[in-house]
Amino acid sequence: MARDRLIAGGAIWTLDPTVGVAEAIALRDGKVVTVGTNAEVRAALHADYEYIDLAGRSVVPGICDAHIHLLWSALLADQIDLQEVASFDHALEIIRQHAERLPADAWVLGSGWDHSLWQRDWPTASELDQVTGGRPAFITRKDLHSAWVNNAALNCANISKFSSDPDGGSIGRDATGEPNGMLFENGQLAVKACIPEPSAAQKETSIQAFIKRMHQRGITSIHVPEGPDCFAAVQTLYGRGALEMRILHHLRMDLLEHAVAMGLKSGLGDAWLRFGNLKIFSDGSLGSATAHMLEPFDNLPANAPHPYGIPMHDREDLFATIDRALANDISVIMHAIGDAANRTVLDAIEAALKANPESLQPSLGKGALAARVPNRIEHAQLLHPADIRRFGQLGVIASMQPIHATSDISVADRFWGQRAQSAYAWRSLQASGAILAFGSDAPVESWDPWAGIHAAVTRQRPDGSPDGGWYPEQRLSLEEALWAYTVGPAITSGEQAIKGSLGVGKLADLVILEEDLAQVAPQQLAKVQVAQTIIEGQTVWEG
Amino acid sequence: MARDRLIAGGAIWTLDPTVGVAEAIALRDGKVVTVGTNAEVRAALHADYEYIDLAGRSVVPGICDAHIHLLWSALLADQIDLQEVASFDHALEIIRQHAERLPADAWVLGSGWDHSLWQRDWPTASELDQVTGGRPAFITRKDLHSAWVNNAALNCANISKFSSDPDGGSIGRDATGEPNGMLFENGQLAVKACIPEPSAAQKETSIQAFIKRMHQRGITSIHVPEGPDCFAAVQTLYGRGALEMRILHHLRMDLLEHAVAMGLKSGLGDAWLRFGNLKIFSDGSLGSATAHMLEPFDNLPANAPHPYGIPMHDREDLFATIDRALANDISVIMHAIGDAANRTVLDAIEAALKANPESLQPSLGKGALAARVPNRIEHAQLLHPADIRRFGQLGVIASMQPIHATSDISVADRFWGQRAQSAYAWRSLQASGAILAFGSDAPVESWDPWAGIHAAVTRQRPDGSPDGGWYPEQRLSLEEALWAYTVGPAITSGEQAIKGSLGVGKLADLVILEEDLAQVAPQQLAKVQVAQTIIEGQTVWEG
């Protein structure tokens, strides 16, 4: 067995209410064996242990991102990111270095460039050819409305001077009519169709690498709403002993009947990998004005086609699907942005719980790993004030992404007006008895949990605007925000008995920060540095 | 936390080759914390512990039945068993007592009666009415070719004096032509169709009760080849904290594509409940002469329709299904009785392993719970001598049921003749490097593991015949037989790192026997008594 580890010399934020901030913590066999004062902890140690001196730094429980698109994020992370690259030569150099690491027949993929920063006209296929070593390349502009491709990519798609522009798109051309490497709108589709789906092995490799990145910011657990290829990949990694992240993996809606046919229920798995909930979209998004609203969006044009947004399902269908899931002990994870979407989903869960009273009694199984996984609503961005208390009453988790609030300030003010008072209503939800579970929704937003913690504590953008925070009465304290990234998600995966806080007997998943967290100004929270990430007592990353 | 437990004062058969038979064992937090000499173990204990004095009795690891039809056995165990009941009045009294415990609208179900023991004519519906309290009753004769029913059951099926006999069956009648309560052959079907399928809750209750029975014989783990209703039921029990048996649950063949669509792979789960292998029947049975043979059965009538038995699938289909499963990381559990069936299955697994080289490398995951679950053949009753070594070579588990050998002696001698030299070839398999995993196939045979251990060690029927044992060169020692009920099944579920033997750090699943096992004569092994069954350090049954 590995030696015991003693960590002391700084503040240990246990998030265990019976302990609070401790002086020392000891780890044994992957669990917290004692936590408390220096004297208490040393008394419980074996003679031979490893001492980690915090020297004034601090410790928090391992962080959980309760909503991250793992495979999508991982594949994107493997691509070139040209956001804010200010010179064309630098962009080419980034592309060259990336391409050199790829197999000879791989596609060079990327996004994020903005030629207005480069003070030049559109980039060209022949310029891209010079740095891609014969590989086809497809690199989207930051707005996704155009793409820069090379000649190998044009050849793959059989795009030549004789090609006509597709409907809704165009092919950039030089003075002679030859394609020049720019594709606009639907002009991109022919090349996109040539890009091969990554193999299962590539997906596994990408996920494994992305997990290592997450360790660098203190993430030890994630909840993943993705498809069967992602679920298969993480099982393969686990089967090889190469899964270094605790995962609750959800089920795509169209797969419900497969799970029912097999008799598979939410919660099967262990502390590394569990089968979670049925993912159902109930409405669209705020930015697209497709969130489902009780009253029309503000400031829409007079001829807006759907002033109340777009519910994704007939009410009856939605009720029936949720009932079908709960009747088969498959919990739901509901995407709901608008106040009408949230109300409808709460109504449907309430009805399904009444029709399936067994579902009302989630209970802890042996070792707490078989607990019924709770139902949850994702985003829950705009709530009618009357619906806030229903989360706690119905045992529905409010799974939210603080960074959405600060990214959305302008559009929320514009589309929701005064209603935004109960948007991203963390404080009101918490006060009403709801469990908060925080995450990122990456790659839609940054997956960095410290960016989320900054947003939760300040309700300010990274640049500090607006002064005093946006609807600051909904801000959380730092400890509350951390709770929603640790204890809250553990409750949400039905694992509060084994993780979330740093109580005795719980899994030794924890993060050593470079700072004394109590001394970090709220405005600096996004910049907190991680010194070491520990999962099950073992260091998985050290800075 | 629970107190430590020290067990000493008798022989502790650890089945851990580095320890052998120990003097003492200590349990802490559900695991073996030390095992060895009295001095070694006491040195490792906390001051406050519970002492269990064996007083000359012995301990073995928790027993696993690697092949038991859990739900089928559990539902049958809830029914009346009239086997060897020698008087009609006694039979009526058993039925009365059983019926009284049932809800008023439940069916009274049973089997096993033999009126030749009762020295009377067929029993009647009105006699049965007197003890069933208005409930419908359906009780099959021991040969299943006839059933005794009461008037409530006849009414359910609308069987009256005006009913005509169905094809292939008849309705027993009294002198006036009224149905008298006996139904022969297909005459049973109309009543059978009235018997309601047990509800999910009934299945859960039956399984829970049957698990308690299994504890009484020292069983702590089982491998279950059953359908989705059983899988759902055990997940529900686990979710309620009411699962007191470690289960590897297999997948019915027709459900393969559901698992593939979801990306579900063998091994998901934890130490209580894991998702196992795809169950495929490759042939029939010995008794029905439908096992698939390389050479014709001996002693068949000249006009026998299928002298080589019956393969259940075209060779190509079987190869394709096994390949499909292994390509998706779903291991297989193959029913194969005849030597041709076993050879075909070994050929198919060999081909699929070659086509899916990843499958060649089962590896242990974190905590060993994510190990690839090995492929396995069930029964493996008759093997061509050239195929024996292929089990070990291909990593295919030989999952066998010792009681089948002794139950089948006559029919194997008759149908297989000299070929029976390599039937139930435990010793030869073991010597060739195969992993043996033993079980019962209950309710086809008794689920009592001690009956199986008796058969494995003696190759004699319960009555001691034949003298010296049947092909006694294939007998196992008592320790080898125990290994195949403990370590072998743990390897078979991919969990050898956490259970099977009583090594340090393994799960504290163990059985205290009433006897000093070393002193039990082989002929008495079926009668070994269990004093206490302990799972994860907790006593689940005490005699």
Side-chain angles (χ1 to χ4, degrees):
Chain A
M1 295 189 192
R3 291 160 78 201
D4 290 0
R5 305 182 89 172
L6 168 64
I7 304 173
I12 294 160
W13 295 47
T14 67
L15 298 198
D16 180 330
T18 67
V19 181
V21 174
E23 291 177 352
I25 188 167
L27 318 181
R28 177 182 297 161
D29 297 340
K31 293 185 179 167
V32 175
V33 64
T34 15
V35 59
T37 65
N38 281 315
E40 284 163 356
V41 172
R42 279 172 200 272
L45 281 172
H46 293 162
D48 177 38
Y49 60 84
E50 174 191 356
Y51 178 54
I52 299 175
D53 183 2
L54 292 174
R57 299 173 301 169
S58 52
V59 166
V60 296
I63 290 170
C64 179
D65 185 327
H67 190 121
I68 183 166
H69 300 276
L70 173 63
L71 177 57
W72 182 14
S73 298
L75 292 174
L76 269 188
D78 280 347
Q79 300 183 8
I80 297 162
D81 179 4
L82 297 178
Q83 279 186 86
E84 296 172 39
V85 173
S87 92
F88 181 63
D89 286 344
H90 186 202
L92 283 179
E93 186 52 32
I94 290 171
I95 297 167
R96 181 201 306 277
Q97 289 183 13
H98 179 90
E100 280 172 355
R101 290 193 302 269
L102 296 174
D105 60 346
W107 278 69
V108 178
L109 301 172
S111 61
W113 58 270
D114 177 359
H115 65 304
S116 70
L117 300 176
W118 301 340
Q119 304 182 328
R120 56 163 285 167
D121 201 358
W122 299 107
T124 68
S126 51
E127 288 166 319
L128 193 49
D129 283 338
Q130 291 165 25
V131 292
T132 46
R135 300 171 187 86
F138 179 86
I139 307 178
T140 52
R141 192 175 183 281
K142 63 176 288 192
D143 60 5
L144 304 178
H145 290 269
S146 59
W148 174 25
V149 302
N150 63 6
N151 283 303
L154 291 167
N155 291 341
C156 282
N158 289 318
I159 296 176
S160 71
K161 69 185 298 182
F162 306 109
S163 304
S164 51
D165 287 349
D167 285 348
S170 74
I171 297 164
R173 299 172 196 268
D174 66 17
T176 71
E178 288 288 347
N180 64 10
M182 281 305 305
L183 301 172
F184 299 92
E185 302 295 352
N186 288 351
Q188 303 172 69
L189 298 181
V191 172
K192 261 189 169 167
C194 296
I195 302 171
E197 165 87 350
S199 68
Q202 284 169 325
K203 292 174 182 174
E204 292 152 15
T205 304
S206 289
I207 287 172
Q208 202 173 1
F210 188 68
I211 284 171
K212 294 306 294 179
R213 289 194 188 204
M214 287 192 280
H215 292 161
Q216 299 179 19
R217 299 302 285 152
I219 299 175
T220 59
S221 294
I222 54 177
H223 300 177
V224 177
E226 277 194 288
D229 54 346
C230 185
F231 190 40
V234 295
Q235 287 171 87
T236 299
L237 289 175
Y238 192 11
R240 287 196 203 124
L243 183 64
E244 297 190 295
M245 181 64 62
R246 303 192 190 277
I247 297 179
L248 180 74
H249 200 290
H250 298 299
L251 180 69
R252 215 173 56 195
M253 192 176 96
D254 61 293
L255 300 173
L256 171 60
E257 290 306 321
H258 294 296
V260 170
M262 294 180 61
L264 185 64
K265 302 185 173 201
S266 294
L268 188 72
D270 64 9
W272 286 98
L273 182 56
R274 298 190 90 197
F275 174 64
N277 304 19
L278 183 72
K279 176 78 188 288
I280 305 176
F281 283 87
S282 77
D283 66 348
S285 72
L286 167 59
S288 305
T290 50
H292 186 207
M293 303 296 298
L294 293 170
E295 302 295 335
F297 286 100
D298 292 356
N299 296 309
L300 286 185
N303 60 350
H306 35 71
Y308 290 85
I310 302 181
M312 293 282 178
H313 306 277
D314 287 345
R315 185 174 170 92
E316 293 68 29
D317 290 348
L318 188 72
F319 272 54
T321 303
I322 293 176
D323 183 79
R324 175 84 175 149
L326 268 55
N328 286 281
D329 292 327
I330 296 172
S331 304
V332 292
I333 168 170
M334 306 295 312
H335 167 109
I337 304 275
D339 49 8
N342 278 282
R343 175 169 292 178
T344 306
V345 165
L346 290 165
D347 289 349
I349 292 175
E350 185 168 7
L353 289 173
K354 272 193 192 132
N356 302 283
E358 289 279 310
S359 305
L360 282 168
Q361 295 146 18
S363 66
L364 293 179
K366 303 267 181 195
L369 289 178
R372 181 70 185 276
V373 180
N375 298 301
R376 51 195 283 177
I377 294 181
E378 304 306 292
H379 316 311
Q381 290 181 4
L382 185 68
L383 300 174
H384 187 283
D387 290 324
I388 288 177
R389 71 190 63 178
R390 298 176 71 198
F391 284 78
Q393 285 166 348
L394 296 171
V396 173
I397 306 289
S399 173
M400 304 174 77
Q401 300 75 38
I403 196 81
H404 277 316
T406 51
S407 293
D408 288 353
I409 291 173
S410 303
V411 65
D413 283 340
R414 175 166 165 233
F415 281 156
W416 287 341
Q418 290 302 310
R419 286 173 287 183
Q421 281 184 31
S422 60
Y424 317 94
W426 313 317
R427 166 69 59 202
S428 300
L429 280 161
Q430 188 200 51
S432 75
I435 301 295
L436 294 177
F438 280 174
S440 69
D441 204 11
V444 177
E445 298 283 355
S446 161
W447 56 265
D448 188 336
W450 296 95
I453 289 168
H454 169 266
V457 171
T458 65
R459 288 179 78 101
Q460 290 173 326
R461 300 185 184 94
D463 67 5
S465 66
D467 275 349
W470 183 66
Y471 294 107
E473 65 277 11
Q474 295 292 350
R475 284 182 308 197
L476 297 181
S477 73
L478 175 54
E479 185 169 356
E480 289 165 337
L482 268 177
W483 190 97
Y485 273 104
T486 54
V487 182
I491 295 170
T492 305
S493 61
E495 296 173 301
Q496 64 270 42
I498 59 164
K499 67 177 187 178
S501 66
L502 294 176
V504 171
K506 296 207 177 175
L507 291 168
D509 296 355
L510 51 91
V511 190
I512 302 176
L513 305 176
E514 290 288 5
E515 291 86 0
D516 176 359
L517 196 54
Q519 303 302 320
V520 177
Q523 290 71 23
Q524 298 303 313
L525 282 167
K527 299 194 172 63
V528 162
Q529 293 301 304
V530 171
Q532 201 173 132
T533 300
I534 293 173
I535 305 185
E536 214 158 287
Q538 304 298 312
T539 299
V540 293
W541 186 78
E542 194 162 3
Chain B
M1 295 189 190
R3 292 160 76 201
D4 290 1
R5 305 182 90 172
L6 168 64
I7 305 173
I12 295 161
W13 295 47
T14 67
L15 298 198
D16 180 330
T18 67
V19 181
V21 174
E23 290 177 353
I25 188 168
L27 319 181
R28 178 181 297 160
D29 298 338
K31 292 185 179 169
V32 175
V33 63
T34 14
V35 59
T37 64
N38 281 315
E40 284 164 355
V41 172
R42 279 173 200 270
L45 281 172
H46 293 162
D48 177 38
Y49 59 83
E50 175 192 355
Y51 178 53
I52 299 175
D53 183 3
L54 292 173
R57 300 173 302 170
S58 52
V59 166
V60 296
I63 290 170
C64 179
D65 186 327
H67 190 120
I68 183 166
H69 300 276
L70 173 62
L71 178 57
W72 181 13
S73 296
L75 292 174
L76 269 187
D78 279 348
Q79 299 183 7
I80 296 163
D81 179 3
L82 296 177
Q83 278 187 86
E84 295 174 37
V85 173
S87 92
F88 182 62
D89 286 346
H90 185 202
L92 284 179
E93 186 52 31
I94 290 171
I95 297 166
R96 180 200 306 278
Q97 289 183 14
H98 178 90
E100 280 171 355
R101 291 193 302 267
L102 296 175
D105 60 345
W107 277 70
V108 178
L109 300 172
S111 62
W113 58 270
D114 177 0
H115 64 305
S116 71
L117 299 177
W118 299 341
Q119 303 181 331
R120 56 163 285 167
D121 202 356
W122 299 107
T124 68
S126 52
E127 288 167 321
L128 192 49
D129 282 337
Q130 290 164 26
V131 293
T132 46
R135 300 170 188 87
F138 179 85
I139 307 178
T140 51
R141 194 173 181 280
K142 61 177 286 191
D143 60 6
L144 304 178
H145 290 270
S146 60
W148 174 24
V149 302
N150 64 6
N151 283 301
L154 291 167
N155 291 341
C156 283
N158 289 317
I159 296 175
S160 72
K161 71 185 295 181
F162 306 109
S163 303
S164 51
D165 288 350
D167 285 348
S170 75
I171 298 164
R173 299 174 196 268
D174 67 16
T176 72
E178 288 286 348
N180 65 9
M182 282 304 305
L183 301 172
F184 299 93
E185 302 293 356
N186 287 351
Q188 303 172 70
L189 298 181
V191 172
K192 262 189 167 166
C194 296
I195 302 171
E197 166 87 352
S199 69
Q202 285 169 325
K203 290 174 183 174
E204 293 153 14
T205 305
S206 289
I207 287 172
Q208 204 173 0
F210 188 69
I211 284 171
K212 294 305 294 180
R213 288 195 189 203
M214 287 192 280
H215 292 161
Q216 298 179 20
R217 300 301 285 151
I219 298 175
T220 60
S221 295
I222 55 178
H223 300 178
V224 177
E226 276 193 288
D229 53 346
C230 185
F231 190 40
V234 296
Q235 286 171 88
T236 299
L237 289 174
Y238 192 11
R240 287 197 202 122
L243 183 63
E244 297 189 296
M245 181 65 61
R246 303 192 190 276
I247 297 179
L248 180 74
H249 201 290
H250 299 299
L251 180 70
R252 215 172 55 195
M253 191 175 97
D254 61 295
L255 300 173
L256 171 60
E257 291 306 321
H258 294 296
V260 170
M262 295 181 59
L264 185 65
K265 302 186 173 200
S266 294
L268 188 73
D270 64 9
W272 286 98
L273 182 56
R274 299 191 91 195
F275 174 64
N277 305 18
L278 183 72
K279 177 78 187 286
I280 305 176
F281 283 87
S282 76
D283 67 346
S285 73
L286 167 59
S288 305
T290 50
H292 185 208
M293 304 296 299
L294 292 170
E295 301 295 336
F297 285 101
D298 292 354
N299 296 308
L300 286 186
N303 61 349
H306 35 70
Y308 289 85
I310 301 180
M312 292 282 176
H313 307 277
D314 287 346
R315 186 175 170 91
E316 292 68 29
D317 290 348
L318 187 74
F319 272 55
T321 304
I322 292 176
D323 183 78
R324 175 84 175 148
L326 267 55
N328 287 282
D329 292 326
I330 296 172
S331 303
V332 292
I333 168 170
M334 306 295 311
H335 167 110
I337 304 274
D339 49 7
N342 278 282
R343 175 169 290 177
T344 306
V345 166
L346 289 164
D347 289 348
I349 292 176
E350 186 168 5
L353 288 173
K354 272 192 192 133
N356 302 283
E358 289 280 310
S359 306
L360 283 169
Q361 296 146 17
S363 66
L364 293 179
K366 304 266 179 195
L369 288 178
R372 181 70 185 276
V373 181
N375 298 301
R376 50 195 284 177
I377 294 181
E378 304 306 292
H379 316 311
Q381 289 181 4
L382 185 69
L383 299 174
H384 187 283
D387 290 324
I388 288 177
R389 72 190 62 179
R390 297 176 71 199
F391 284 78
Q393 285 166 348
L394 296 172
V396 173
I397 306 288
S399 173
M400 304 174 76
Q401 300 75 36
I403 196 82
H404 277 317
T406 52
S407 293
D408 289 352
I409 292 173
S410 303
V411 65
D413 283 339
R414 176 166 164 233
F415 281 156
W416 288 340
Q418 289 302 310
R419 286 174 286 184
Q421 281 183 31
S422 60
Y424 317 95
W426 311 318
R427 166 69 59 201
S428 300
L429 280 162
Q430 188 202 51
S432 76
I435 301 295
L436 294 176
F438 280 173
S440 70
D441 204 11
V444 178
E445 298 283 354
S446 160
W447 55 266
D448 187 337
W450 296 96
I453 289 169
H454 170 266
V457 172
T458 65
R459 288 179 78 103
Q460 291 173 325
R461 300 184 183 92
D463 66 6
S465 66
D467 275 350
W470 184 65
Y471 294 107
E473 65 277 12
Q474 295 291 349
R475 285 182 308 197
L476 298 180
S477 72
L478 174 54
E479 186 170 354
E480 289 166 336
L482 268 177
W483 190 97
Y485 273 104
T486 54
V487 181
I491 295 171
T492 305
S493 61
E495 296 173 302
Q496 64 270 42
I498 60 164
K499 67 176 186 177
S501 66
L502 295 176
V504 171
K506 295 207 178 175
L507 292 168
D509 296 354
L510 51 92
V511 190
I512 303 176
L513 305 175
E514 289 289 2
E515 292 86 358
D516 175 0
L517 197 52
Q519 303 303 319
V520 177
Q523 291 71 24
Q524 298 302 313
L525 282 168
K527 298 195 171 61
V528 162
Q529 292 301 304
V530 170
Q532 202 173 133
T533 300
I534 293 172
I535 305 186
E536 213 156 289
Q538 303 299 312
T539 299
V540 293
W541 186 78
E542 193 162 4

